[in-house]
C-alpha cells in the first residue's frame, strides 16, 4: 500500500543522502520525493511517497526517526492530508488538435506557460490521479514529455 | 596564545576524559600528530588502520568507555572501514577521527582524497565533515555524546588538513543541544507491569539477553532478576559475561552453535523475555518457526530493533538497566513461590535435555589435541576471569561454549559483522584498557593472518597479551559447511601452507610456544602466563574437529546437527 510520509530534517550538509541512503541500504522503495526549506530556513521538509505492508512502513518511520538529522516524521495514514503535485507537460499537437489541447488544459485548470512554433507546455497542479488523467488525454495528441514533482503533503487542520 | 584546530582536537579529547588514542599518521593528519607530540598525548601506533579501529573497539568493550581512533585520509579511511562497520554492527561507542584533504581541494580528486563522510554514512551512527574550525569543538562534543548515548555506536569526524591548522579560541560547550535526538532511557511502568504479569503466569518462561545488557551496564540487575525469578536464562554471543556462563540458571548460548537445551528451550518456552537482544538471524534460525509457542516481551533502547523481524507482544523501549531496576522494584511486592513451583517440570525438562546432549568433548591422551580441550584449559587456568578476545570462526564458537566468562566486558568478539582478524588488535585495545589483567586472544589460523602485523604494536607497548592460536590448518568453519552442506567438496580452505608461527612470533619480538601433543598444553599455558610480554601459543589441534550443535542456515533452531554425519 502507498504511503505519504512527511519528514522534517535539519538543513545540514548531506541530510538528503542520509535519508535516501537509509532507503536504498535497507531495500525500501522511494516512489517520489520532494524537498525544500520550510519557513525556518534551518529546517527542510520532505514529502516522501513509499509503499509496503504495515510492518515495513513502521520500520521505515522508525528508521527515519533514528537518523540524527531527522526532527519529526509523520506518516499521513494517521490522518487526513492534502496532497498536491505539480506537472509540466509538453505537447506537440498536429495543427488540427491545437484547440483540443487548449480545451483539455482549461478543463484541468492548467496554464499554458510556454508556447513555441510547434509545441506548448502546460503547467498543472492537483492530486496524482488528476495528473495521470490529463496525461492519458494528452498522449494521443502528441505529448512529448512530462516532468512532475511528486506530491507535497500537508496534514489537514494542523500547523505542522 | 591562540589555539589552532589541532590544539582544539587535543583539548576536546582531554575534556572528554580520553586517556589514549589508537591511530596511524599520514599527510592529512600531520597537524594533528604534531599536536599529539606537542601536548604529550598518549598514542598507540597501529600498523594498519583496521587494526587501529579494532584496538579502539577492544578498548571500548573492555572498559565501557568510548574508544578513539585517528587515521588519515583516503586509503587510511578505507582501511578503517572494516573496523568501523564491526563496531557499528555491535553498537560499540567509538569516535573515529579521519583526515581530509584541505577544504579547497575537496571534490577535485586530490591525492589521498576519498569521500569519507559518504563512505562511512551507512556504518556510523552519525558522521561529520568539519568545514569551519569554529565548529570543531561543538562537533567533537556532539560526536562523543551521540556515540555514547542511546544505542551506542561509532561516530566519524572528518577533519580537513587546513581546518586542523586554522586559529581559533578554544571554547568547549557545556551541553549538547539536539532536541530531536532524545533516546528514551525510562522504561514505561505500564508496559513493565503488563510484562511481569504475563511472565509470572508462564509455565515455561525463558530469559534471553544480548549485548544490550552489557552495553547498559546492567549485569548486576540482570543477575538479580534471574536469581529472583529463578528463570532459565540463555544469551547471545554478544551477551556473554552478562551472567557467569556456568551459573546454575544459565543454559549457555543459543542460536546457530548454541547449546541443545538453550535451543530447545527457545523452541518450547511459553513466554520469552528478550533483554537487549535483537533476534539476529544467527539466533532465530528459520524466522517463521522461531519460538512458535511463546508470547514475547522485548526490552530494547532502539525502537527499530523491536518488531524488526519477530513479532513482539509487549515491547518496552528503554535502557536495559533502567527497565530491569523497575522489574525488580515491582517484584519486591510479589509472592513468587507459585511461579517458582510451576516451573518445576520445565526445569526437569531442561535438565533432561542437558543430560541427553551436553556441551562436551572427549579428549583421548594419544589423539590430536581437541580445540575444545585447549579452551577448557585456558578457562581453568584463568578461572574464567581473563578478558577474552576472539577472531571469527570455529574457535570463536568453541570459546563461547567452553570459556565460561564470569563478568561483563570480559568478552570481546565480533558478533554482528563477524570480522576475521578482530582478535589480535582488539586484545591490544583491551589490554590498554585493563593493564595488569590477563588478556587472552583466542585466534584462528585463518583470522590471525589477517591482522598479524599488530603483534608489533603489542611488542612495542609491551602488552602481555596471550594469543592462543587454535591452529587446525584450515578455514575451519568454512570447511565444516563445505563438508556438511556441499557434499565435502573442500574449496579454498586448506591453510596447510602457513608460516611457522613460533618463528613468526619470535621475528616480531614476542615469545613463541607450540603444543602439538595433549600433554604439552598445560605447560605451554603455564609458560605463557609466566612470561611478562606478549606470547603466541601455537596449538596444533585436530584438523577435522567440527563445532556442534549446529543449526544449518535456514533451518529452525530445534533442528540441530549434533555430530558429524557418518
Amino acid at each position: 500500500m502507498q504511503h505519504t510520509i512527511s519528514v522534517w530534517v535539519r538543513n545540514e550538509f548531506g541530510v538528503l543522502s542520509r535519508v535516501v541512503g537509509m532507503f536504498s541500504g535497507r531495500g525500501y522503495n522511494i516512489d517520489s520525493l520532494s524537498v525544500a526549506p520550510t519557513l525556518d530556513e534551518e529546517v527542510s521538509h520532505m514529502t516522501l511517497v513509499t509503499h509496503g505492508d504495515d510492518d515495513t512502513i513502521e520500520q521505515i518511520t522508525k528508521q527515519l526517526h533514528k537518523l540524527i538529522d531527522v526532527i519529526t516524521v509523520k506518516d499521513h495514514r494517521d490522518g487526513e492530508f492534502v496532497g498536491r503535485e505539480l506537472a509540466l507537460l509538453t505537447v506537440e499537437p498536429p495543427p488540427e488538435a491545437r484547440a483540443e489541447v487548449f480545451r483539455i488544459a482549461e478543463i484541468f485548470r492548467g496554464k499554458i506557460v510556454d508556447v513555441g512554433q510547434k509545441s506548448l507546455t502546460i503547467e498543472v497542479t492537483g492530486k496524482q490521479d488528476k495528473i495521470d488523467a490529463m496525461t492519458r488525454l494528452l498522449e494521443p495528441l502528441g505529448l512529448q514529455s512530462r516532468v512532475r514533482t511528486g506530491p507535497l503533503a500537508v496534514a489537514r487542520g494542523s500547523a505542522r | 596564545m591562540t589555539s589552532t584546530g589541532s590544539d582544539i582536537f587535543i583539548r576536546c579529547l582531554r575534556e572528554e576524559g580520553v586517556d589514549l588514542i589508537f591511530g596511524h599518521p599520514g599527510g592529512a593528519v600531520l597537524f594533528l600528530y604534531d599536536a599529539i607530540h606537542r601536548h604529550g598525548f598518549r598514542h598507540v601506533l597501529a600498523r594498519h588502520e583496521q587494526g587501529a579501529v579494532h584496538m579502539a573497539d577492544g578498548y571500548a568493550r573492555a572498559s565501557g568507555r568510548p574508544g578513539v581512533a585517528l587515521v588519515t585520509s583516503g586509503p587510511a579511511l578505507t582501511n578503517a572501514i572494516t573496523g568501523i562497520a564491526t563496531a557499528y554492527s555491535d553498537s560499540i561507542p567509538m569516535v573515529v577521527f579521519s583526515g581530509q584533504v584541505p577544504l579547497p581541494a575537496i571534490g577535485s580528486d586530490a591525492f589521498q582524497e576519498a569521500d569519507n563522510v559518504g563512505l562511512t554514512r551507512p556504518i556510523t551512527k552519525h558522521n561529520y565533515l568539519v568545514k569551519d574550525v569554529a565548529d570543531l569543538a561543538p562537533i567533537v562534543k556532539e560526536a562523543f555524546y551521540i556515540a555514547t548515548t542511546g544505542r551506542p555506536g561509532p561516530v566519524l569526524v572528518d577533519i580537513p588538513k587546513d581546518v586542523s591548522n586554522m586559529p581559533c579560541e578554544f571554547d568547549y560547550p557545556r551541553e549538547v543541544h539536539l532536541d530531536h535526538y532524545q533516546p528514551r532511557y525510562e522504561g514505561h511502568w505500564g508496559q513493565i507491569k503488563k510484562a511481569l504479569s504475563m511472565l509470572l503466569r508462564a509455565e515455561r518462561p525463558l530469559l534471553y539477553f544480548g549485548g544490550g545488557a552489557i552495553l547498559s551496564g546492567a549485569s548486576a540487575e540482570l543477575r538479580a532478576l534471574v536469581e529472583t525469578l529463578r528463570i532459565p536464562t540463555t544469551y547471545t554471543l554478544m551477551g556473554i559475561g552478562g551472567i557467569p556462563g556456568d551459573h546454575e540458571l544459565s543454559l549457555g548460548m543459543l542460536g546457530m552453535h548454541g547449546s541443545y537445551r538453550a535451543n530447545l528451550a527457545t523452541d518450547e518456552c511459553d513466554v520469552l523475555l528478550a533483554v537487549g537482544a535483537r533476534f539476529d538471524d544467527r539466533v532465530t534460525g528459520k524466522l517463521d518457526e522461531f519460538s512458535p509457542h511463546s508470547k514475547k516481551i522485548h526490552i530494547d533502547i532502539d525502537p527499530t530493533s523491536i518488531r524488526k523481524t519477530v513479532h513482539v507482544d509487549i515491547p518496552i523501549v528503554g535502557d536495559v538497566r533502567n527497565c530491569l531496576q523497575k522489574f525488580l522494584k515491582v517484584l519486591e511486592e510479589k509472592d513468587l513461590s507459585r511461579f517458582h513451583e510451576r516451573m518445576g517440570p520445565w526445569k526437569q525438562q531442561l535438565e533432561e535435555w542437558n543430560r541427553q546432549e551436553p556441551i562436551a568433548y572427549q579428549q583421548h591422551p594419544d589423539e590430536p589435541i581437541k580445540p575444545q580441550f585447549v579452551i577448557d584449559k585456558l578457562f581453568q587456568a584463568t578461572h574464567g576471569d581473563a578478558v577474552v578476545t576472539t577472531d571469527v570462526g570455529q574457535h570463536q564458537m568453541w570459546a563461547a561454549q567452553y570459556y565460561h566468562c564470569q563478568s561483563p566486558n570480559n568478552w570481546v568478539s565480533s558478533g554482528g559483522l563477524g570480522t576475521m582478524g578482530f582478535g589480535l588488535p582488539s586484545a591490544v585495545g583491551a589490554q590498554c584498557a585493563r593493564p595488569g589483567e590477563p588478556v587472552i586472544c583466542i585466534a584462528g589460523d585463518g583470522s590471525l593472518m589477517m591482522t598479524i602485523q599488530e603483534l608489533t604494536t603489542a611488542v612495542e607497548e609491551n602488552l602481555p597479551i596471550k594469543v592462543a592460536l587454535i591452529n587446525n590448518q584450515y578455514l575451519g568453519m568454512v570447511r565444516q559447511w563445505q563438508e556438511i552442506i556441499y557434499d565435502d567438496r573442500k574449496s579454498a580452505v586448506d591453510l596447510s601452507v602457513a608460516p611457522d608461527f613460533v618463528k613468526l612470533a619470535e621475528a616480531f619480538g614476542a615469545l613463541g610456544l607450540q603444543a602439538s601433543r595433549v600433554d604439552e598444553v598445560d605447560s605451554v599455558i603455564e609458560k605463557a602466563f609466566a612470561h611478562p610480554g606478549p606470547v603466541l601459543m601455537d596449538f596444533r589441534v585436530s584438523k577435522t574437529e567440527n563445532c556442534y550443535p549446529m543449526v544449518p542456515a535456514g533451518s529452525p533452531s530445534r533442528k540441530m546437527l549434533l555430530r558429524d554425519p557418518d
Side-chain angles (χ1 to χ4, degrees):
Chain A
M1 193 187 146
Q2 229 181 29
H3 280 255
T4 305
I5 300 172
S6 280
V7 190
W8 286 265
V9 297
R10 285 207 291 186
N11 215 347
E12 297 277 348
F13 155 85
V15 64
L16 179 60
S17 54
R18 288 184 204 279
V19 170
V20 173
M22 188 284 284
F23 274 80
S24 62
R26 293 184 181 272
Y28 304 136
N29 296 295
I30 298 179
D31 298 333
S32 77
L33 174 66
S34 67
V35 197
T38 61
L39 292 175
D40 178 352
E41 280 186 7
E42 289 178 7
V43 176
S44 277
H45 176 266
M46 298 183 178
T47 310
L48 213 151
V49 180
T50 181
H51 62 267
D53 58 23
D54 285 356
D55 288 349
T56 307
I57 302 295
E58 183 181 330
Q59 263 301 310
I60 288 174
T61 53
K62 284 174 170 180
Q63 293 286 355
L64 284 168
H65 265 297
K66 192 169 162 177
L67 298 172
I68 306 288
D69 285 335
V70 167
I71 301 165
T72 324
V73 180
K74 180 163 176 55
D75 176 2
H76 288 292
R77 74 174 152 179
D78 302 333
E80 284 192 25
F81 70 99
V82 184
R84 289 291 182 274
E85 128 165 72
L86 180 134
L88 298 171
L89 300 112
T90 301
V91 196
E92 270 185 37
E96 68 276 15
R98 245 174 127 84
E100 176 68 5
V101 170
F102 277 99
R103 238 188 332 270
I104 290 169
E106 203 182 313
I107 291 166
F108 283 87
R109 295 188 198 166
K111 236 169 36 184
I112 311 291
V113 289
D114 184 59
V115 184
Q117 285 280 321
K118 289 185 188 158
S119 72
L120 36 100
T121 297
I122 307 164
E123 171 197 306
V124 64
T125 62
K127 291 186 186 169
Q128 282 171 281
D129 52 1
K130 173 179 166 185
I131 290 165
D132 293 341
M134 187 171 176
T135 306
R136 274 196 304 277
L137 289 175
L138 290 174
E139 255 164 2
L141 302 177
L143 182 64
Q144 297 298 307
S145 75
R146 182 191 69 186
V147 287
R148 56 199 290 182
T149 56
L152 304 174
V154 62
R156 281 193 195 273
S158 77
R160 177 156 139 179
Chain B
M1 195 186 88
T2 313
S3 316
T4 63
S6 65
D7 299 308
I8 288 172
F9 166 73
I10 297 289
R11 292 173 72 177
C12 289
L13 294 180
R14 293 234 162 96
E15 289 283 341
E16 289 297 328
V18 176
D19 56 356
L20 84 164
I21 58 177
F22 303 90
H24 195 287
V29 288
L30 276 165
F31 289 113
L32 298 178
Y33 270 87
D34 189 52
I36 286 171
H37 188 272
R38 284 186 282 109
H39 291 261
F41 201 87
R42 185 170 173 213
H43 175 269
V44 171
L45 176 65
R47 264 49 177 186
H48 185 286
E49 291 85 354
Q50 181 190 346
V53 180
H54 287 332
M55 287 174 194
D57 185 323
Y59 177 95
R61 292 185 207 229
S63 69
R65 298 191 299 273
V68 182
L70 170 60
V71 303
T72 188
S73 62
L77 187 278
T78 57
N79 280 345
I81 277 177
T82 303
I84 300 170
T86 302
Y88 185 66
S89 275
D90 291 342
S91 309
I92 303 305
M94 178 192 288
V95 178
V96 178
F97 293 93
S98 56
Q100 183 54 274
V101 300
L103 286 169
I106 289 180
S108 69
D109 301 321
F111 177 66
Q112 291 192 335
E113 182 185 0
D115 176 7
N116 294 355
V117 165
L119 285 164
T120 56
R121 194 172 292 126
I123 53 161
T124 51
K125 188 170 170 189
H126 197 57
N127 59 16
Y128 298 89
L129 170 65
V130 185
K131 293 208 273 194
D132 183 341
V133 68
D135 295 336
L136 181 58
I139 283 176
V140 174
K141 176 85 183 171
E142 256 184 47
F144 277 91
Y145 179 73
I146 290 171
T148 53
T149 51
R151 179 180 181 173
V155 175
L156 178 112
V157 180
D158 193 29
I159 307 177
K161 185 172 185 178
D162 51 347
V163 171
S164 67
N165 195 37
M166 283 175 189
C168 185
E169 289 299 324
F170 177 65
D171 182 15
Y172 205 60
R174 295 248 164 271
E175 285 167 2
V176 167
H177 297 286
L178 285 170
D179 295 342
H180 44 278
Y181 169 73
Q182 291 188 333
R184 193 153 116 205
Y185 282 81
E186 295 287 331
H188 189 273
W189 275 111
Q191 291 291 89
I192 285 168
K193 286 179 183 159
K194 234 165 82 183
L196 264 175
S197 82
M198 180 192 272
L199 185 67
L200 295 181
R201 284 199 305 270
E203 289 175 5
R204 302 185 308 279
L206 179 68
L207 191 154
Y208 137 65
F209 70 89
I214 309 290
L215 291 164
S216 78
S219 69
E221 287 80 1
L222 180 68
R223 188 166 178 175
L225 183 73
V226 168
E227 289 175 354
T228 306
L229 290 169
R230 299 188 206 158
I231 184 173
T233 299
T234 181
Y235 45 81
T236 70
L237 187 76
M238 297 309 298
I240 290 177
I243 63 169
D246 49 6
H247 191 284
E248 58 168 347
L249 288 160
S250 162
L251 307 179
M253 183 174 75
L254 83 167
M256 188 169 268
H257 293 285
S259 71
Y260 184 70
R261 61 176 168 174
N263 281 337
L264 288 188
T266 311
D267 193 61
E268 292 273 316
C269 64
D270 61 354
V271 173
L272 181 66
L273 172 59
V275 179
R278 60 183 177 92
F279 298 96
D280 176 80
D281 57 281
R282 257 40 187 174
V283 159
T284 61
K286 192 179 181 200
L287 251 189
D288 48 13
E289 292 184 44
F290 172 70
S291 193
H293 314 294
S294 65
K295 295 273 184 199
K296 295 173 187 74
I297 303 161
H298 189 184
I299 305 173
D300 205 295
I301 198 161
D302 179 2
T304 68
S305 284
I306 293 174
R307 289 183 181 145
K308 186 167 65 180
T309 54
V310 168
H311 179 80
V312 170
D313 300 278
I314 304 182
I316 304 171
V317 176
D319 172 52
V320 167
R321 185 152 178 255
N322 177 283
C323 292
L324 295 190
Q325 283 168 347
K326 287 177 173 163
F327 270 76
L328 288 165
K329 186 89 190 147
V330 178
L331 283 172
E332 279 172 14
E333 295 149 20
K334 300 262 184 193
D335 175 14
L336 296 173
S337 52
R338 289 190 47 208
F339 173 69
H340 291 156
E341 250 170 64
R342 227 182 303 126
M343 278 192 292
W346 174 231
K347 289 194 174 171
Q348 279 173 9
Q349 175 67 77
L350 295 170
E351 263 311 303
E352 177 56 28
W353 284 330
N354 194 42
R355 260 195 304 275
Q356 287 169 9
E357 295 290 344
I359 294 280
Y361 65 93
Q362 284 186 330
Q363 177 70 67
H364 191 281
D366 299 327
E367 284 177 357
I369 305 171
K370 295 246 174 156
Q372 301 96 314
F373 176 75
V374 175
I375 291 161
D376 198 6
K377 285 288 178 190
L378 291 167
F379 168 65
Q380 289 170 26
T382 53
H383 313 290
D385 286 327
V387 177
V388 171
T389 77
T390 78
D391 281 314
V392 171
Q394 285 180 321
H395 69 279
Q396 178 191 31
M397 294 298 118
W398 282 314
Q401 291 175 342
Y402 291 94
Y403 194 95
H404 303 300
C405 258
Q406 299 297 300
S407 0
N409 303 103
N410 275 10
W411 174 256
V412 178
S413 188
S414 168
L417 199 69
T419 306
M420 291 175 68
F422 177 74
L424 177 56
S426 65
V428 169
Q431 186 77 78
C432 289
R434 309 261 295 269
E437 293 188 52
V439 174
I440 306 172
C441 164
I442 299 179
D445 48 325
S447 293
L448 185 63
M449 287 297 283
M450 292 197 178
T451 50
I452 186 75
Q453 75 285 346
E454 305 307 344
L455 203 48
T456 306
T457 307
V459 170
E460 182 177 28
E461 296 287 327
N462 196 26
L463 302 170
I465 59 179
K466 312 304 171 198
V467 180
L469 174 61
I470 307 299
N471 185 355
N472 63 358
Q473 300 175 59
Y474 269 114
L475 291 166
M477 187 60 92
V478 184
R479 191 214 62 217
Q480 176 169 344
W481 283 55
Q482 290 176 349
E483 286 176 2
I484 295 168
I485 299 164
Y486 296 88
D487 206 15
D488 200 19
R489 290 185 296 277
K490 295 187 186 64
S491 179
V493 290
D494 186 338
L495 296 184
S496 53
V497 176
D500 177 330
F501 283 99
V502 173
K503 283 187 188 158
L504 189 64
E506 285 164 358
F508 275 105
L511 175 65
L513 300 168
Q514 191 180 71
S516 46
R517 289 199 326 267
V518 172
D519 59 9
E520 293 170 336
V521 171
D522 275 328
S523 69
V524 161
I525 292 175
E526 209 172 296
K527 273 184 212 153
F529 279 99
H531 183 73
V535 181
L536 195 161
M537 299 171 267
D538 179 17
F539 293 106
R540 313 282 292 190
V541 299
S542 157
K543 294 180 71 171
T544 54
E545 190 69 11
N546 283 339
C547 183
Y548 294 105
M550 173 187 183
V551 180
S555 293
S557 55
R558 68 177 178 279
K559 292 196 177 155
M560 287 164 269
L561 306 176
L562 296 163
R563 49 192 63 80
D564 284 327
D566 293 326

